[in-house]
Amino acid sequence: LEYDDVMNQQRSVIYNERNEVLDNGNMKDKIHSMVIGTLGDNVDAYLEGDDISTWDLDGLRSKYYGLLCSNTDFGDLTGSADEAREQVKKELYNRAEMILSKKEELFGDDMREIERVVLLQNVDKHWIDHLEDMDSLMESVGLQSMAGRSPISEYRINGADLFEQMITNIRDDTARMILSVVPRGNREVRRVQVAKEVSTGGGKEETVRKPVVNKSPKVGRNDPCPCGSGKKYKNCCGAVNNNQ
């Protein structure tokens, strides 16, 4: 029950987040805050300390290369470490603002639904990954009792760290996807449910992973079967069709 209580608390937080995405028609401010927040946190992580010569500028440029940075950016930093760090943040913020503004012009009213689709899919994807991490954690904390530590205490502490990392990953991936999203023909913007909400009682979380089905009108005999089985077409639906 104590282990379930930890998961119930985390589940409550994530489902409140999902419900906000589903019920709120305009996530613009939230998405904007996520973009700015993740940029600031990453700048602080890569440009840590008071000695500019030790900063990982290459790592920061690599992280946002082709999206917000080129491989020669931030080579003329001046002033103190704090001033230089703020200079980098301001430059990235301005570039992100310009991109978001162009997305608004490009997608128009569809931008609001795109934001909801991207955020919801990232929440669901990372929640599924988190559930697997928490299962692995539960199996490992049993060894902590052999070292004189409380397994449930270790589960709470490490589970909280995993949860914080999940939130960071959701924010980071959502920001990157929003900044890089481009139109693809006349494809309809729609939400795809990756995780199915269940009650907050005990037991394992029920999740649903929907197979990606290739709806191409013609499938080669050696191509992957469009039913999503992972087999070749000739050994799956192709074999059935040929026997009919």
Side-chain angles (χ1 to χ4, degrees), residues 163-206:
F163 191 78
E164 287 298 320
Q165 185 60 53
M166 178 194 68
I167 297 298
T168 298
N169 292 339
I170 290 173
R171 187 179 62 171
D172 208 21
D173 286 357
T174 298
R176 178 172 291 276
M177 291 174 68
I178 288 295
L179 290 170
S180 60
V181 65
V182 294
R184 293 184 178 180
N186 294 320
R187 292 177 62 180
E188 180 184 1
V189 178
R190 62 187 180 89
R191 290 170 234 170
V192 178
Q193 186 176 11
V194 180
K196 181 178 179 182
E197 183 171 350
V198 296
S199 67
T200 57
K204 287 187 175 292
E205 189 86 7
E206 179 184 356

Side-chain angles (χ1 to χ4, degrees), residues 4-237:
D4 285 343
D5 184 56
V6 174
M7 281 307 306
N8 285 341
Q9 292 177 26
Q10 295 186 358
R11 189 178 293 114
S12 177
V13 172
I14 207 68
Y15 282 153
N16 285 337
E17 178 75 18
R18 293 184 79 254
N19 289 334
E20 180 185 358
V21 178
L22 292 170
D23 298 338
N24 192 334
N26 191 332
M27 302 299 294
K28 180 179 179 179
D29 291 342
K30 186 177 185 67
I31 293 294
H32 181 273
S33 177
M34 294 175 76
V35 171
I36 298 302
T38 192
L39 286 177
D41 286 351
N42 279 306
V43 170
D44 288 339
Y46 283 97
L47 312 186
E48 186 178 12
D50 295 330
D51 186 354
I52 296 179
S53 65
T54 65
W55 285 359
D56 187 10
L57 286 167
D58 287 338
L60 182 63
R61 285 189 288 256
S62 177
K63 184 172 184 64
Y64 292 112
Y65 180 76
L67 183 63
L68 295 173
C69 291
S70 72
N71 57 8
T72 59
D73 280 341
F74 317 127
D76 56 349
L77 298 176
T78 59
S80 67
D82 288 340
E83 291 171 338
R85 194 179 295 110
E86 289 305 312
Q87 180 184 338
V88 173
K89 287 182 181 180
K90 184 177 180 180
E91 184 64 29
L92 290 178
Y93 292 164
N94 289 340
R95 295 177 188 182
E97 294 282 3
M98 290 178 61
I99 291 175
L100 292 175
S101 179
K102 290 179 179 179
K103 300 298 182 188
E104 292 284 343
E105 296 177 4
L106 183 62
F107 290 103
D109 294 339
D110 286 341
M111 192 62 189
R112 299 290 79 79
E113 186 63 16
I114 291 171
E115 291 165 347
R116 294 170 66 177
V117 167
V118 169
L119 181 52
L120 182 62
Q121 289 184 353
N122 275 299
V123 168
D124 285 355
K125 173 186 178 299
H126 286 292
W127 175 243
I128 290 173
D129 293 341
H130 179 70
L131 291 175
E132 296 174 355
D133 291 340
M134 292 297 285
D135 282 344
S136 298
L137 177 62
M138 184 181 293
E139 294 174 0
S140 67
V141 293
L143 300 175
Q144 303 297 332
S145 60
M146 299 175 61
R149 296 193 296 268
S150 166
I152 187 60
S153 295
E154 294 296 316
Y155 184 73
R156 286 197 185 99
I157 294 170
N158 290 291
D161 290 340
L162 289 174
F163 191 78
E164 287 298 320
Q165 185 60 53
M166 178 194 68
I167 297 298
T168 298
N169 292 339
I170 290 173
R171 187 179 62 171
D172 208 21
D173 286 357
T174 298
R176 178 172 291 276
M177 291 174 68
I178 288 295
L179 290 170
S180 60
V181 65
V182 294
R184 293 184 178 180
N186 294 320
R187 292 177 62 180
E188 180 184 1
V189 178
R190 62 187 180 89
R191 290 170 234 170
V192 178
Q193 186 176 11
V194 180
K196 181 178 179 182
E197 183 171 350
V198 296
S199 67
T200 57
K204 287 187 175 292
E205 189 86 7
E206 179 184 356
T207 60
V208 177
R209 293 182 182 269
K210 294 189 176 182
V212 177
V213 180
N214 182 1
K215 295 185 178 180
S216 175
K218 186 176 181 179
V219 183
R221 286 174 50 76
N222 291 316
D223 290 340
C225 188
C227 73
S229 66
K231 298 179 181 179
K232 291 185 178 180
Y233 178 67
K234 65 182 181 181
N235 296 326
C236 191
C237 295

